[in-house]
Amino acid sequence: MDSAVSDPHNGSAEAGGPTNGTTRPPSTPEGIALAYGSLLLMALLPIFFGALRSVRCARGKIFSQEYINLLLSMYFFVLGILALSHTISPLMNKFFPANFPNRQYQLLFTQGSGENKEGGRGSPAPGSGLTRPLCPEIINYEFDTKDLVCLGLSSIVGVWYLLRKHWIANNLFGLAFSLNGVELLHLNNVSTGCILLGGLFIYDIFWVFGTNVMVTVAKSFEAPIKLVFPQDLLEKGLEADNFAMLGLGDIVIPGIFIALLLRFDISLKKNTHTYFYTSFAAYIFGLGLTIFIMHIFKHAQPALLYLVPACIGFPVLVALAKGEVTEMFSYESSAEILPHTPRLTHFPTVSGSPASLADSMQQKLAGPRRRRPQNPSAIGRSRKLKMGLHKPNLSSICRCPATSWHHQAQRKWNQQPV
């Protein structure tokens, strides 16, 4: 079997004839059977031996709950600082004085090194008429001094949470996670949102009523995956310890659906937010009903059991009353570019040498077109340009920062005597 793999003249390569880099050699029936049999064997091994080992290790624990909580605390410590910093940054900008020394920074990671860098052997020579390929950017993050201040303040909250596990610090991180989730997670249409909420509706009911896994996880793990508030706050103050809790999933999942309806309202261009306000009121009704049922029966309740029918049913009833059901379910959020979210739809490209660019600019200037009246100095510069005595400013043409050899050629061009 080893000889069949190492010998290039055996197997499917011989049966399929000569191959190139773009066409895979045809597989033989023996090779297909070997591949699928190996996958089947590798799938069965961990199941069989893992089941046997689970019997011997049923009463043992690899990690105690304390170590798992510590690992989760460190994980959410980092994520919480970043999420809280992103959340409070717009609010903190209002408190900075006008003379605050704000400096811009950029964190940039690109792929490539050595000769692949700008100006290396991979770069085309100026005047060759070729363009240098752009280096792919892995990380390109811009921030300023104000963002660093917000990051420092968020780090203080993170240390407070890491050391004390205080419920206020937990809620600050939880609110930051929820807000960023609703802001950054986008549903593309109402049908997808209904399917998502419907599936999680069944999921939440099963794991709360069918098993005790959901309640156990919520009470056992000390992580900002839920919002908590003490019921004995009036008696014990900030040191209260009898908490009511609400999972972040019960906020983010309906929240992204409500945000989708807000974008649908904006797409209608009627200057009304009917569906947003309806779904928002439906969320308040569903959450209030959840709290009422939980207080009456003294048992944990799946919040999505009440939130999903309210958040879907109320907007659909409004759409039926207004005759906009078709528009609602045919709306595609990905095709909408809202006014407050500008996007770069294309990237400028520049090709050709500086001389060819100058010639093309001269042809455009010499072409017949109506122009506004110019002053005598401007007319003189135009005549010098046509006679070749005036060097054009190529900075108005070469605006792509990735093709820096154009700028180098421009500087050499400008240094030549007229």
Side-chain angles (χ1 to χ4, degrees), residues 374-414:
Q374 298 179 340
N375 54 32
S377 60
I379 296 176
R381 285 196 301 269
S382 176
R383 291 177 178 175
K384 290 182 180 180
L385 181 62
K386 294 180 180 179
M387 297 173 61
L389 300 178
H390 186 72
K391 297 186 294 293
N393 184 11
L394 299 183
S395 61
S396 61
I397 304 174
C398 303
R399 295 187 181 273
C400 181
T403 56
S404 63
W405 62 271
H406 285 297
H407 300 284
Q408 297 175 2
Q410 175 193 347
R411 288 194 295 268
K412 293 181 181 179
W413 176 274
N414 292 334

Side-chain angles (χ1 to χ4, degrees), residues 23-63:
T23 304
R24 293 187 301 175
S27 301
T28 61
E30 294 82 2
I32 296 176
L34 177 63
Y36 288 136
S38 301
L39 292 176
L40 178 62
L41 179 62
M42 287 187 290
L44 294 177
L45 286 177
I47 296 176
F48 182 80
F49 291 104
L52 294 179
R53 295 180 63 175
S54 68
V55 176
R56 297 192 297 268
C57 302
R59 296 185 179 182
K61 290 184 178 180
I62 300 178
F63 297 105

Side-chain angles (χ1 to χ4, degrees), residues 10 12 33 60 83 126 157 159 165 174 188 224 230 263 266 272 294 325 333 341:
N10 291 335
S12 58
V157 178
V159 173
K165 297 293 189 303
N188 59 340
R263 297 193 296 273
I266 297 176
T272 59
M294 184 171 57
V325 178
S333 177
T341 56

Side-chain angles (χ1 to χ4, degrees), residues 104-163:
Q104 300 292 329
Y105 302 94
Q106 183 179 17
L107 183 64
L108 178 63
F109 285 93
T110 58
Q111 184 178 354
S113 61
E115 65 180 18
N116 293 328
K117 283 187 176 180
E118 186 176 339
R121 288 185 295 174
S123 301
S128 61
L130 301 176
T131 58
R132 178 181 178 274
L134 300 178
C135 295
E137 295 180 354
I138 301 175
I139 297 177
N140 188 0
Y141 182 71
E142 297 181 358
F143 56 97
D144 53 20
T145 309
K146 296 180 181 179
D147 294 327
L148 294 178
V149 173
C150 296
L151 186 64
L153 296 176
S154 302
S155 301
I156 296 175
V157 178
V159 173
W160 181 26
Y161 168 77
L162 195 62
L163 297 179

Side-chain angles (χ1 to χ4, degrees), residues 298-309:
K298 306 297 180 183
H299 188 274
Q301 297 293 318
L304 294 182
L305 172 62
Y306 311 97
L307 291 174
V308 169

